[in-house]
Amino acid sequence: MNALKSFWKNIASLWSLIVGLQVTGKAFCGPQVTVHYPRQTVGPEGLEGFRGHMELVPSVKDPAIPKCISCMMCATSCPSKCLTVVKQKEPKPTEEQLKAMAEAEARGEKVKKLSAPKNPAQFIYDFSLCSFCNTCVENCPVGSIRFTTNVYFATTNKADLQMNLVERLAKQAASGKTVPGEKPKKAAKTETAQSEA
Amino acid sequence: MTRTINPDYIRGDLYTQRFEQGKRENTLILNMGPQHPSTHGVLRVVLEMDGEYIVRAEPVLGYLHRMHEKMAEVKSYVGFMPNMGRVDYLHPLAWNWSYAGAVERLAGIEVPRRAEFLRVIATELNRISSHLLWWGAYLLDLGAFTPIMYAFEDREILMDILQRPTGARLTYSYFRLGGVGADMDERCLRQILDFVPYLRKKLPVYKDLVTDNVILRKRLEGVGDMDVDMCRRYGATGPILRGAGLASDTRLNETYSVYNEIDFDIPSFPETDAMARYMVRIREIEESLKIVEQAVAMIPEGEILIKGAPKPNWKAPAGEAYFATEGARGKVGVWVVSDGGKSPYRIKLRAPGFSNLSLFAEASQGTLLADAVAIMGSIDMVIPEIDR
Ligand code: SF4
Ligand code: SF4
């Protein structure tokens, strides 16, 4: 009796292996699910929402200049400290302007100093430190920073990971490849109002 | 030619020097890891072997210590969230949740109802992807190469789904203090609803391929007894405790969020062996599918983030709070202490893997080395989480 039982048990065990082989056999004949990377790439719908490296959003007037107003919100709120925003210096007044200023001072009026353009001189982003947390995007009051969906960015040089985003945008504009930004949403505006309050 | 050998080098590092040989004389001390493929990263186990049998096993930790707790003390409350995605890379959303929950409890923040459901859906999908990866990797440890291919095929779909709202494929930082970072649109929810029957259809295939397989059963049944008593002594939670026959789950026993409105079971198996823990996780995938399906059906319209959600310069009220969630590996707890400043005064992370690993030393005594691999895999370790 026992021998018969163990015999059937062995048959059942063997059958479990055959069932497993059937599964793999079926999968073998099924369609291929992977993408042959260098020859094929994932389509844009597969990249939706993917967070690659950061980029600056061009302003409406000039695609080479970012919307950014150098407010430093992103740089101060970034938990990984990977953003460095360098503001533009005040432009040196020309001689005529200096003269006009001196005259104004002599007349006892308030002297209007030349203000620096708001867009940043440099916007350095360290890709190697970024944690893709979205904090900078959420805190930017003008919606000037966003993620690319660049999954194919790879390099053997560490210096390539330090990107100057202003330069990058200018280069993109020169080659006519800039992607216009959306208008900042209303909700985003109210949020900034709260944070400033 | 004479070769000089550095005597310090032979004696080994501090840990090896302190690891004393047991009472028996003819034993061999063997290092398993930190680069052993079955230790999933950088766990090192010092083994005292008698032939093929393990006399003593001691896990050595700390190879992946990244000071997450200390980092919290210099980061803002909002800025610490990305760290939570990196403690446990397989189930980061449970950690997201524990941290967000602890700070919300501290500050008395109410999370909008839609956000609660989004949290449930995302966390459960993440739990499934974690279990799928464990399933594939565990069988890889045991010598079966094929299953991980099946697991990754399904996991890839899950990652595509989660990528849309969270923006990442692995280390999610999706939760915000007071809600979640992004909404799931109609298309995303439909994708999720399509995924549920798809995986339900796939699970019987897994059963045929692996669970019923005689080789797997022979390797796992009766191996690595971890009973309730042992679990209690070391504080083991999650699938290990449920594999010991105690149906304990933070989601229901200390219910949080909207889990008490959702109908699901807590699978538990009384066999206490590696096979029981295996079965618990497979059943948990089914239960998670059940939760996701119901949550998608129940999700209300509304806000996903409270108005005036904490900003990076937000100051938490002074005090302390603890919040625990059920991760894929057990109870994930975060304890936040605040002195009223911009960054936490102290944060303590309770990693389930740390307690669970402690059982390995005891359960592996007297087993074969090959069985020790089966026991270690059945614990489902994630070393970054253990070392934090
Ligand atoms: S995504 Fe996060 S880490 Fe990266 S730049 Fe923005 S704020 Fe910094
Ligand atoms: S990108 Fe936005 S947040 Fe950063 S400096 Fe420019 S305007 Fe301010």
Side-chain angles (χ1 to χ4, degrees):
Chain A
M1 202 51 200
N2 259 345
L4 203 66
K5 242 186 202 166
S6 74
F7 173 73
W8 280 117
K9 224 177 165 184
N10 286 342
I11 295 286
S13 310
L14 212 60
W15 181 244
S16 78
L17 297 182
I18 292 169
V19 169
L21 282 178
Q22 275 174 357
V23 172
T24 35
K26 243 188 233 161
F28 181 74
C29 303
Q32 180 190 331
V33 289
T34 49
V35 172
H36 269 214
Y37 164 55
R39 288 178 291 279
Q40 298 172 337
T41 48
V42 180
E45 69 283 350
L47 298 179
E48 226 169 278
F50 181 81
R51 292 180 189 164
H53 60 78
M54 312 297 316
E55 69 174 1
L56 287 172
V57 181
S59 59
V60 187
K61 284 183 205 144
D62 186 352
I65 290 180
K67 277 184 184 174
C68 175
I69 51 170
S70 313
C71 69
M72 300 294 199
M73 278 300 284
C74 56
T76 46
S77 63
C78 172
S80 312
K81 306 254 179 297
C82 55
L83 295 171
T84 317
V85 184
V86 181
K87 288 187 182 177
Q88 291 210 27
K89 287 216 181 76
E90 288 165 19
K92 270 218 170 120
T94 55
E95 288 207 354
E96 283 165 33
Q97 282 168 326
L98 270 179
K99 226 188 247 170
M101 276 168 146
E103 275 171 20
E105 216 178 279
R107 269 184 268 135
E109 286 172 16
K110 249 195 179 173
V111 182
K112 244 198 207 165
K113 271 197 177 165
L114 294 177
S115 59
K118 277 183 173 169
N119 57 307
Q122 278 190 356
F123 199 107
I124 313 284
Y125 164 65
D126 194 340
F127 189 41
S128 61
L129 292 180
C130 181
S131 48
F132 314 106
C133 61
N134 212 24
T135 312
C136 51
V137 181
E138 279 167 26
N139 285 293
C140 179
V142 292
S144 169
I145 191 164
R146 68 179 171 205
F147 288 100
T148 55
T149 52
N150 184 3
V151 271
Y152 303 113
F153 182 74
T155 177
T156 50
N157 183 3
K158 205 177 168 197
D160 289 349
L161 298 174
Q162 319 262 338
M163 303 179 190
N164 189 337
L165 297 184
V166 174
E167 249 172 44
R168 186 175 176 275
L169 190 70
K171 255 187 220 160
Q172 271 186 339
S175 62
K177 269 195 278 183
T178 44
V179 187
E182 298 159 19
K183 273 189 184 170
K185 282 173 211 139
K186 263 201 174 155
K189 257 187 195 160
T190 52
E191 263 177 39
T192 17
Q194 276 165 8
S195 75
E196 276 161 8
Chain B
M1 201 177 86
T2 53
R3 279 175 71 194
T4 49
I5 296 171
N6 184 354
D8 282 344
Y9 183 75
I10 295 178
R11 262 187 273 137
D13 68 354
L14 202 66
Y15 196 86
T16 321
Q17 286 171 29
R18 289 203 186 138
F19 189 83
E20 282 172 18
Q21 205 132 15
K23 280 178 197 138
R24 269 183 273 174
E25 275 178 3
N26 51 353
T27 53
L28 174 76
I29 291 190
L30 189 71
N31 270 303
M32 186 165 156
Q35 275 94 23
H36 193 278
S38 82
T39 57
H40 293 260
V42 283
L43 174 69
R44 172 176 164 207
V45 186
V46 186
L47 301 167
E48 188 182 346
M49 307 284 300
D50 182 1
E52 268 283 286
Y53 289 89
I54 293 172
V55 180
R56 209 149 50 105
E58 261 184 50
V60 185
L61 303 177
Y63 289 89
L64 210 55
H65 179 51
R66 289 160 299 163
M67 303 195 297
H68 279 299
E69 290 174 4
K70 194 71 191 165
M71 272 163 97
E73 293 168 22
V74 296
K75 291 205 169 201
S76 67
Y77 280 92
V78 171
F80 189 56
M81 194 55 95
N83 283 57
M84 289 291 98
R86 283 150 181 87
V87 172
D88 174 354
Y89 55 87
L90 291 186
H91 199 191
L93 286 176
W95 284 92
N96 270 219
W97 202 340
S98 289
Y99 174 66
V103 178
E104 280 155 10
R105 190 171 275 175
L106 178 68
I109 297 172
E110 268 302 311
V111 181
R113 220 174 132 70
R114 185 174 174 88
E116 293 277 21
F117 276 95
L118 289 175
R119 284 180 173 190
V120 168
I121 294 169
T123 311
E124 292 307 319
L125 288 176
N126 197 189
R127 187 189 314 277
I128 298 172
S129 79
S130 169
H131 279 344
L132 280 176
L133 187 118
W134 164 82
W135 182 75
Y138 183 37
L139 296 164
L140 205 59
D141 288 353
L142 295 176
F145 185 77
T146 334
I148 196 163
M149 299 292 165
Y150 292 82
F152 266 69
E153 187 189 337
D154 297 344
R155 199 167 170 270
E156 204 65 27
I157 302 170
L158 269 176
M159 295 205 296
D160 281 342
I161 292 172
L162 283 176
Q163 177 187 305
R164 277 168 56 81
T166 64
R169 293 176 80 80
L170 200 66
T171 48
Y172 309 117
S173 142
Y174 178 49
F175 290 14
R176 298 285 177 272
L177 305 176
V180 291
D183 203 356
M184 293 186 189
D185 53 6
E186 275 304 311
R187 204 180 113 203
C188 188
L189 292 178
R190 207 174 45 244
Q191 268 181 338
I192 294 169
L193 279 185
D194 288 345
F195 177 76
V196 173
Y198 166 81
L199 193 64
R200 284 222 175 102
K201 237 195 270 163
K202 273 310 246 313
L203 286 174
V205 177
Y206 291 170
K207 186 167 177 290
D208 283 346
L209 182 69
V210 179
T211 314
D212 284 346
N213 188 299
V214 61
I215 303 172
L216 180 90
R217 288 198 166 265
K218 287 254 155 81
R219 279 207 70 178
L220 296 192
E221 276 169 1
V223 165
D225 267 335
M226 295 178 187
D227 53 16
V228 178
D229 176 50
M230 203 201 273
C231 290
R232 288 220 169 102
R233 268 189 286 128
Y234 290 105
T237 46
I240 301 202
L241 188 55
R242 294 194 280 276
L246 194 71
S248 159
D249 189 316
T250 318
R251 282 174 291 175
L252 285 187
N253 294 27
E254 302 165 36
T255 188
Y256 53 94
S257 186
V258 289
Y259 276 114
N260 52 358
E261 299 170 29
I262 294 171
D263 173 38
F264 66 101
D265 299 325
I266 305 170
S268 72
F269 287 79
E271 288 89 2
T272 74
D273 57 1
M275 193 67 203
R277 296 190 280 279
Y278 174 97
M279 290 307 296
V280 166
R281 294 202 180 92
I282 296 289
R283 278 290 315 283
E284 262 183 35
I285 295 180
E286 289 169 33
E287 295 303 323
S288 287
L289 286 176
K290 236 159 97 184
I291 297 173
V292 168
E293 203 174 29
Q294 289 173 50
V296 172
M298 285 161 77
I299 192 163
E301 288 297 320
E303 295 279 313
I304 56 158
L305 194 64
I306 50 155
K307 288 242 159 60
K311 290 268 159 194
N313 55 5
W314 178 74
K315 282 183 186 161
E320 49 192 86
Y322 176 77
F323 194 82
T325 57
E326 183 73 20
R329 273 152 281 283
K331 192 183 219 166
V332 174
V334 173
W335 181 50
V336 181
V337 184
S338 161
D339 58 359
K342 279 185 187 173
S343 38
Y345 176 76
R346 170 89 168 93
I347 277 193
K348 166 77 186 136
L349 308 174
R350 190 234 181 249
F354 183 78
S355 312
N356 294 355
L357 177 65
S358 317
L359 277 80
F360 168 73
E362 194 172 320
S364 65
Q365 274 174 22
T367 61
L368 286 164
L369 185 55
D371 284 347
V373 173
I375 299 169
M376 201 187 283
S378 76
I379 293 173
D380 188 11
M381 294 173 307
V382 169
I383 309 301
E385 177 209 53
I386 296 171
D387 285 351
R388 297 191 293 289

